[in-house]
């Protein structure tokens, strides 16, 4: 179990575009393990590699709906449908929340840690988190898309 430090808003690394993973090697697997540990330790439901200072197209999600941990390498959306608006937070913007419009349903394709391609359809909170994490890979934070000011909580 190894925890990594989560970068906070203001760190320019969060604003960079992450690079595709070309080879899934031992360091990639260690990163995935550390990201899951770090996400659970912080009570988050997702974590993207740039949040721990690694500009690779990787994120992990456990939406807490009982479906468990998903690991995404080189993810991209096959489909985005509809819209929903909900309150979001971010481990890189602690204690601040805002309303963001997201797709109601997404279908995402990615590679798993074994290099196998998989697709996943998400709706509700899962669609929100997948969209939020993908944005991190593009250097986008939820506050960029928030309707109105963030609130403290
Ligand atoms: O833990 C998190 N909760 C959350 C709640 C609503 C919408 C998105 C999220 S993602 C966030 C973890 C995080 O910052 N991932 O990048
Ligand atoms: Ni976030």
């Amino acid at each position: 179990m190894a925890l990594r430090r989560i970068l906070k808003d203001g760190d320019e690394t969060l604003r960079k575009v992450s690079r595709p993973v070309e080879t899934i090697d031992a360091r990639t697997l260690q990163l995935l393990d550390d990201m899951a540990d770090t996400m659970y330790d912080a009570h988050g439901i997702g974590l993207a590699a740039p949040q721990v200072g690694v500009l690779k197209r990787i994120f992990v999600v456990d939406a807490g709906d009982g479906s468990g941990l998903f690991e995404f390498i080189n993810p991209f959306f096959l489909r985005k449908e509809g819209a929903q608006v909900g309150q979001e937070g971010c481990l890189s913007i602690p204690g601040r929340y805002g309303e963001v419009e997201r797709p109601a349903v997404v279908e995402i394709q990615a590679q798993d840690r074994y290099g196998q391609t998989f697709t996943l359809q998400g709706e509700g909170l899962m669609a929100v988190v997948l969209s939020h994490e993908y944005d991190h890979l593009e250097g986008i934070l939820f506050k960029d898309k928030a309707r109105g000011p963030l609130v403290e909580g």
Side-chain angles (χ1 to χ4, degrees):
M1 156 114 176
L3 301 181
R4 301 204 186 194
R5 186 170 57 89
I6 298 176
L7 302 182
K8 299 303 187 301
D9 187 19
D11 192 312
E12 73 269 22
T13 298
L14 292 172
R15 292 313 197 164
K16 296 185 172 158
V17 177
S18 289
R19 294 180 296 272
V21 174
E22 293 190 359
T23 311
I24 302 170
D25 57 18
R27 290 178 66 224
T28 315
L29 302 183
Q30 184 67 59
L31 174 62
L32 285 164
D33 289 344
D34 292 355
M35 286 174 62
D37 290 343
T38 302
M39 175 184 73
Y40 288 122
D41 179 74
H43 304 289
I45 59 175
L47 189 70
Q51 293 183 276
V52 294
V54 178
L55 288 170
K56 290 182 178 168
R57 300 188 78 83
I58 292 175
F59 58 73
V60 297
V61 169
D62 184 339
D65 57 2
S67 56
L69 177 69
F70 291 96
E71 299 173 327
F72 301 84
I73 300 170
N74 298 330
F76 60 94
F77 291 107
L78 297 170
R79 200 157 59 87
K80 298 179 191 176
E81 282 177 7
Q84 58 176 323
V85 177
Q87 190 93 340
E88 293 193 20
C90 181
L91 294 172
S92 296
I93 311 177
R96 298 173 74 207
Y97 302 87
E99 299 260 300
V100 183
E101 183 176 316
R102 298 291 191 184
V105 181
V106 300
E107 188 176 4
I108 196 165
Q109 183 170 315
Q111 287 166 267
D112 65 19
R113 63 165 57 215
Y114 307 105
Q116 295 295 310
T117 296
F118 69 98
T119 66
L120 181 74
Q121 182 177 302
E123 58 182 69
L125 184 60
M126 192 67 180
V128 171
V129 184
L130 292 171
S131 301
H132 176 116
E133 302 312 332
Y134 187 87
D135 275 353
H136 277 299
L137 306 185
E138 297 295 316
I140 297 167
L141 299 176
F142 86 84
K143 69 174 194 177
D144 305 339
K145 296 184 166 179
R147 307 181 152 188
L150 302 190
V151 296
E152 313 227 338

